[in-house]
Amino acid sequence: MVAGGQTLATTFFDSTQAVAALQPVAQVSNDPPADPDASFEGAIGGDQLLPDPLAIDALDPASQVDVQNLAKAVDIGRELARQAAKIEAALADGAPEAFLYGETAFVKPTVGHLTSLFGSRWGRAHEGIDIAGPIGTPIYALTDAVVEESGPATGYGLWVVLRHTDGTQSVYGHVNRTFVKEGERVKAGEEIAEIGNRGYSTGPHLHLEVWSSDGSKINPLTWLRKRGIEY
C-alpha cells in the first residue's frame, strides 16, 4: 500500500513536492491490539484531507469578495428583468412609450402634436393640454387605474375619467369612442378610447387633464415630465 501511494504521488504531483495526504492508512484487524494505547501515527485523518474547493470557507478573502459580487450581479439582473417585464406589459397594447416611476408604470397616452397648453386661453382657464391627431388614433391609460366615468360629458362630447392608485385622476376628453366602462380596472398602456372631435372642439384632438386627489387641476406637462413622458 505504501508503494502504491508513492506511485500515485509520482503520477499526479511533482516528485519534489511532499504529499502528506498519501500517507498509509492505519492497519485494521479484528484481533485486539497488543498495546491498547498504541497510536495510529501517520494514518490519514480529517485534518490531513484537502479542503473542499467548492466550500465558501475554503476560499481566500479575495475569492469570497468575488462570490459576493457575483451574487449582487445576479440580484441586479433579476431586478432589471422584473422592470423590463413591467415596461413590456405596459407597451403590449401599442402605447408609444412607457416608463417606470418608482414601482409604477406610466405610458405616453397617445401619438400626436401638442397644440395647446395648460393655463389661460381665449380669456378663460384651459385646465389641460391638447394633443392633435387623426380621428381614431388610440388613447391609452396613463397608468393602472379604475374607470370612474366613461361616456357623454358636457363640453367634452365623450370622455373617460380614471382614478389612479395614488388618488390622482386623468381625464381624456373629446374622444370618438370609449372602450371601457365605469368600475372597470385598467392597466397602464391599455387602450381605453380613440381621439375624436366631439363636444366643443375645433379639430380632432385629445384634451388631457390631471387632477390631484383633492380635485385641484395639475399642469399635465409638469406631471408627465416627472414620470419621463415628454410632448
Side-chain angles (χ1 to χ4, degrees):
M1 183 174 291
V2 173
Q6 291 172 341
T7 301
L8 185 60
T10 303
T11 303
F12 291 96
F13 298 87
D14 184 84
S15 58
T16 62
Q17 181 179 3
V19 185
L22 295 178
Q23 294 183 19
V25 179
Q27 182 177 359
V28 179
S29 170
N30 292 327
D31 299 327
D35 182 1
D37 298 324
S39 67
F40 295 103
E41 183 178 358
I44 294 178
D47 59 341
Q48 293 176 295
L49 297 177
L50 295 176
D52 181 354
L54 299 179
I56 297 300
D57 292 341
L59 298 175
D60 58 48
S63 297
Q64 292 186 44
V65 171
D66 289 342
V67 170
Q68 292 169 357
N69 289 338
L70 178 59
K72 289 179 182 178
V74 170
D75 288 341
I76 292 172
R78 287 173 178 165
E79 177 62 17
L80 291 175
R82 186 183 65 82
Q83 293 177 3
K86 282 190 172 185
I87 294 295
E88 185 177 354
L91 295 172
D93 270 8
E97 296 176 1
F99 304 89
L100 284 183
Y101 181 68
E103 289 294 309
T104 306
F106 290 85
V107 306
K108 198 169 191 174
T110 194
V111 175
H113 301 286
L114 184 66
T115 58
S116 190
L117 303 178
F118 178 88
S120 178
R121 187 185 69 171
W122 305 333
R124 56 182 297 181
H126 184 241
E127 297 177 326
I129 59 173
D130 292 342
I131 304 163
I135 292 176
T137 302
I139 298 171
Y140 305 96
L142 275 168
T143 188
D144 295 354
V146 174
V147 180
E148 290 213 325
E149 295 189 46
S150 179
T154 301
Y156 295 99
L158 289 176
W159 75 353
V160 175
V161 180
L162 304 182
R163 181 173 293 277
H164 312 155
T165 55
D166 65 355
T168 59
Q169 294 170 278
S170 51
V171 177
Y172 311 78
H174 306 300
V175 302
N176 186 52
R177 292 189 298 167
T178 68
F179 304 128
V180 293
K181 58 186 179 180
E182 185 176 337
E184 183 179 346
R185 292 185 178 275
V186 295
K187 292 291 186 180
E190 184 175 336
E191 186 175 355
I192 58 173
E194 295 173 338
I195 283 181
N197 193 31
R198 296 178 182 272
Y200 304 146
S201 173
T202 59
H205 70 284
L206 165 64
H207 174 80
L208 177 68
E209 296 183 13
V210 177
W211 302 346
S212 68
S213 56
D214 63 7
S216 59
K217 308 303 189 291
I218 301 170
N219 185 339
L221 284 183
T222 303
W223 189 87
L224 291 170
R225 285 170 182 162
K226 189 173 182 179
R227 289 153 180 82
I229 302 166
E230 295 281 351
Y231 272 105

